[in-house]
Amino acid sequence: MAIKMALLTPNDLININKQLQEADSTVQRVTGLDIKGICKALYGTSPSSEKVGIVPVTSGNGIIGNFSASLHAITQYFGFESFVTDMPDVSGYYEAVRNGAEIILMADDYTFLAHNLKNGKMANNQPCTGIIYAEIASRYLKADSKDVFVVGLGKVGFPGAAHLVQKGFRVYGYDPDENLFQRAVSNLGVIPFNPEKPKKFSIIFEATPCANTIPESVLSENCVLSTPGIPCAISEELRTKYDVQVVAEPLGIGTVSMLYSVL
Ligand code: NAI
Ligand code: PYL
Ligand code: MG
């Protein structure tokens, strides 16, 4: 049986437009590109008026307050025409297709997918999130080396680490789960991070569901922390002390990565 995702709460999604705007300006400052520019560079695609149908799903833990409304706001923010169906589940899917949706967005407790009905392409939120946050980290304009620290090698972190390896970065990784850690070392060539031998990084990518996962000893002044993980990986105190550039946002960056990947 698949393992449930760490679920968002309605609170995570409050003021999603403001969260997106702030993340977009951080991405622009860190990389020189905005989020759409990153997506275009990453996937080589651009939207051409695709209509997105968002289907609420009641199974398992059920509807997350603000989830569909946030997807609506996110798709509009990135210039997609979109609508949320009145009905959930199978009836909602039927309604979406009948009303002209070309891309379906929907999520249960295990899978959040984008399915392009015109070309058949399908995307899963976890790898798409890992890949775009890793891509943003990899484009840090003031990086001092090709060394990256990856914290968390699960369903989001592993594809992100794989993307960084593929781009030619030296990836140092850590995960307390010995199986996942060894999988990253043997399959990707990730370098085991040794907390006993502190090393500073200018690029850090984090994907865990825990707070305070970044030890102070790895932070260099003005480093980038690109992290989809909820809650945030770093305290306000450390963020301020090292002037860390934090790219973090609960839903939109991963969602737009899914959408561009199916165009
Ligand atoms: P996962 O459970 O597959 O992987 C998390 C990994 O973090 C596990 O392997 C775990 O052993 C590791 N971990 C836990 N504590 C750690 C620590 N102190 N140091 C290093 N590693 C540690 O979870 P998944 O699906 O990869 O999600 C990760 C986070 O990303 C969750 O908080 C999830 O809610 C969030 N997420 C955010 C999205 C966004 O758009 N912002 C999209 C998808 C997920
Ligand atoms: C996609 C997010 C990112 C982090 N956790 C993932 C999550 O919360 N997934 C569950 C989404 C369920 C949505 C619910 C609804 O309102 O339609 N079924
Ligand atoms: Mg996101």
Side-chain angles (χ1 to χ4, degrees):
M1 186 62 188
I3 301 168
K4 278 193 185 187
M5 294 187 262
L7 302 182
L8 288 167
T9 68
N11 268 351
D12 295 325
L13 300 170
I14 287 172
N15 282 332
I16 193 71
N17 263 309
K18 186 160 173 267
Q19 295 196 58
L20 264 178
Q21 278 161 20
E22 284 175 6
D24 218 356
S25 59
T26 309
V27 170
Q28 171 89 56
R29 193 169 61 244
V30 163
T31 69
L33 291 174
D34 62 8
I35 296 168
K36 276 206 263 189
I38 297 278
C39 285
K40 190 167 184 230
L42 180 55
Y43 296 110
T45 54
S46 296
S48 51
S49 321
E50 285 81 4
K51 198 167 169 183
V52 179
I54 298 155
V55 182
V57 173
T58 64
S59 71
N61 271 36
I63 301 290
I64 294 177
N66 296 337
F67 187 78
S68 292
S70 295
L71 290 181
H72 191 224
I74 288 160
T75 45
Q76 308 260 308
Y77 179 90
F78 288 111
F80 289 84
E81 190 186 336
S82 64
F83 64 97
V84 180
T85 58
D86 291 331
M87 295 293 286
D89 308 322
V90 176
S91 301
Y93 184 95
Y94 184 64
E95 181 187 331
V97 178
R98 283 193 59 129
N99 286 322
E102 294 159 286
I103 300 178
I104 302 289
L105 280 181
M106 60 185 181
D108 65 11
D109 297 349
Y110 301 92
T111 304
F112 172 22
L113 66 78
H115 190 185
N116 186 328
L117 303 176
K118 277 167 75 183
N119 63 17
K121 290 188 191 175
M122 191 159 67
N124 180 306
N125 177 252
Q126 288 159 326
C128 288
T129 298
I131 288 166
I132 193 166
Y133 276 84
E135 177 72 18
I136 291 165
S138 78
R139 288 176 171 268
Y140 183 29
L141 294 170
K142 295 187 193 155
D144 64 10
S145 76
K146 284 270 192 183
D147 292 349
V148 185
F149 185 31
V150 176
V151 184
L153 294 160
K155 293 181 284 298
V156 174
F158 184 90
H163 184 66
L164 290 164
V165 169
Q166 201 217 323
K167 285 195 81 174
F169 284 80
R170 255 189 315 277
V171 178
Y172 292 74
Y174 174 69
D175 194 302
D177 182 316
E178 194 57 32
N179 288 332
L180 295 182
F181 181 58
Q182 285 309 331
R183 177 184 67 158
V185 171
S186 50
N187 294 3
L188 302 179
V190 160
I191 305 161
F193 174 74
N194 181 353
E196 305 297 311
K197 276 197 193 164
K199 172 175 164 55
K200 292 200 175 287
F201 292 87
S202 65
I203 311 177
I204 303 170
F205 162 58
E206 194 263 13
T208 87
C210 305
N212 304 316
T213 52
I214 312 295
E216 181 169 0
S217 57
V218 304
L219 296 171
S220 61
E221 187 69 23
N222 209 218
C223 61
V224 158
L225 170 61
S226 185
T227 174
I230 301 165
C232 189
I234 191 173
S235 64
E236 204 44 55
E237 188 196 336
L238 284 182
R239 183 179 178 151
T240 309
K241 184 170 173 188
Y242 291 89
D243 195 15
V244 180
Q245 307 281 324
V246 180
V247 178
E249 182 280 332
L251 188 62
I253 297 178
T255 301
V256 72
S257 175
M258 296 163 75
L259 290 170
Y260 272 69
S261 81
V262 300
L263 293 177

